[in-house]
Amino acid sequence: MSTSTSRVRVELPAHLRHLANVGREVDLTIVGPVTQRTILDALEARYTMLEGTIRDHKTKLRRPFVRFFACEEDLSHLLPDDPLPDAVALGEEPFLIVGAIAGG
Amino acid sequence: MSQLRLLVGTRKGAFILTSDGVRKEWSVTGPHFAGWEIYHLKGSPVDPNRIYASQTSGWFGQVVQRSDDGGQTWSPISNKFPYDGVPGTHQWYDGTPHPWEFKRVWHIEPSLTCPDTLYAGVEDAALFRSTDAGQSWNELSGLRTHGTGPAWQPGAGGMCLHTILLDPTNHDRIFVAISAAGAFRTDNGGKSWKPINQGLHSLYIPDPTAEVGHCVHHMALHPSRPQTLFMQKHWDVMRTDDAGDSWHEISGNLPTDFGFVIDVHAHEPETLYVVPIKSDSEHFPLDGQLRVYRSRSGGNDWEALTKGLPQSNCYVNVLRDAMAVDSLDSCGVYFGTTGGQVYASSDAGDNWQAIVHDLPAVLSVEVQTLP
């Protein structure tokens, strides 16, 4: 049985770009299904300083004011293991990690 | 000539101000960590170029940074603050039990003897220690679990451990303060703790003399007299001379004894500074006049210090960690405001100047006196 490998584009908000010292987008290699969990696992493995900033250290739940968008859809409420759109898995569209609009 | 390095945490980043021993001209670098709330920065007394910073955000949570070159470059260190065991509950605002949840680091206190050891006071209230320069944190859970924890309740700013005082003569003794639980002391390096609130009288809680529940805003000590602590409570300025076993009020002739900061002169253990704030519902100076009050007698007799401070139309606040003193021969005193000014006095408070005017709201000020 073969395991698929995907190259996924992830776009970070400015605060996390500065923290990780990266540009707007990072490319990640995902082995197996492309889901929120596998993307965040790969992102945190490469940029350990991002642990805890997007999802809780322990529960692995998304922080309340963080949103996940892709393909002009809000994917924030998908379950962590739900598959993401094919365009994300194929690297055609970025997976956007966004700081929610809040405040005045 | 000595150098001064001022570490200023603000709502939108950290700023580092430096000056020579004359303290007239200051250069400013920053913002470091632009856009993030910097609750506190503090340097190691053992290695002053090692500075720790608490960086936090309502969106992205807690980050802790360390610099090993005096704040020129920074590296993230561990932001994992795991409560020990099942954390249980404290009281919520409505009196119901509420699970302990980590929110942010309010205060970082580096060890007096080891540059790799530091303490972090966090919200929801707990004390953590790192012995590897911040690569990992362990809770000193004897504080949270000593028995009164389920009765602790958040103040308006959250249930935070905001003050950590290390006894320079006894490394096993630590004092902490929590809003709104009160003051606590350990005499065995953090294994066990006791509330030290006898003598506090707080009209805003059901039992004004309760063992816990007091909203302590800040505490300070002079290193030569670690048995003596000074406290700015929600209301009341207090003093203890027996390491917290009993407190008495020293508000004396202050025009209002509400406030947040309190500090002690570097060379005169009986000289204190506070910034009176009008009230708990009006967080600004009385009559729009920003006045530091100084007591040279350990409290009760206070004098207003106004030279160089705005004496009309000033409605800023001075938050609990936003005052510091340097250790030059003529003691320098510094404080920051929610209006973004940092004021400095190079003559123990007689004269003041705004060394920077327009920063974001200042959350904390620390000063390092460098050789």
Side-chain angles (χ1 to χ4, degrees), chain A residues 80-93:
Chain A
D81 295 317
D82 285 347
L84 294 175
D86 288 345
V88 173
L90 295 170
E92 295 168 358
E93 291 286 337

Side-chain angles (χ1 to χ4, degrees), chain B residues 148-321:
Chain B
T148 63
W152 300 355
Q153 201 163 16
M159 199 178 79
C160 52
L161 193 160
H162 51 68
T163 300
I164 304 168
L165 298 175
L166 306 176
D167 184 333
T169 64
N170 176 358
H171 296 159
D172 285 334
R173 174 169 280 184
I174 305 170
F175 305 94
V176 300
I178 296 169
S179 293
F184 299 83
R185 188 183 81 211
T186 177
D187 291 320
N188 55 16
K191 293 185 186 72
S192 62
W193 296 77
K194 63 182 257 186
I196 49 167
N197 300 306
Q198 190 175 342
L200 305 187
H201 190 265
S202 302
L203 291 173
Y204 48 82
I205 59 178
D207 174 2
T209 60
E211 183 183 30
V212 297
H214 303 273
C215 192
V216 177
H217 282 182
H218 200 52
M219 300 195 302
L221 62 72
H222 190 278
S224 71
R225 293 192 196 170
Q227 294 278 111
T228 297
L229 304 180
F230 301 99
M231 174 193 291
Q232 172 68 66
K233 194 161 64 66
H234 194 75
W235 293 95
D236 303 333
V237 180
M238 307 294 294
R239 171 183 182 134
T240 173
D241 292 298
D242 52 15
D245 288 339
S246 62
W247 294 86
H248 61 275
E249 187 173 357
I250 55 168
S251 303
N253 63 335
L254 287 171
T256 162
D257 59 14
F258 187 89
F260 291 93
V261 292
I262 188 164
D263 216 333
V264 187
H265 189 290
H267 313 301
E268 300 171 12
E270 293 292 313
T271 297
L272 320 177
Y273 301 90
V274 294
V275 180
I277 295 296
K278 184 175 178 183
S279 73
D280 50 1
S281 58
E282 294 174 277
H283 282 187
F284 44 72
L286 272 174
D287 304 321
Q289 299 176 311
L290 182 55
R291 292 172 290 185
V292 176
Y293 275 72
R294 177 175 63 194
S295 171
R296 291 193 180 279
S297 56
N300 287 318
D301 293 320
W302 299 88
E303 58 179 322
L305 308 173
T306 62
K307 290 181 184 171
L309 299 176
Q311 294 305 297
S312 62
N313 303 318
C314 181
Y315 291 93
V316 298
N317 196 359
V318 180
L319 299 178
R320 68 185 85 237
D321 242 347

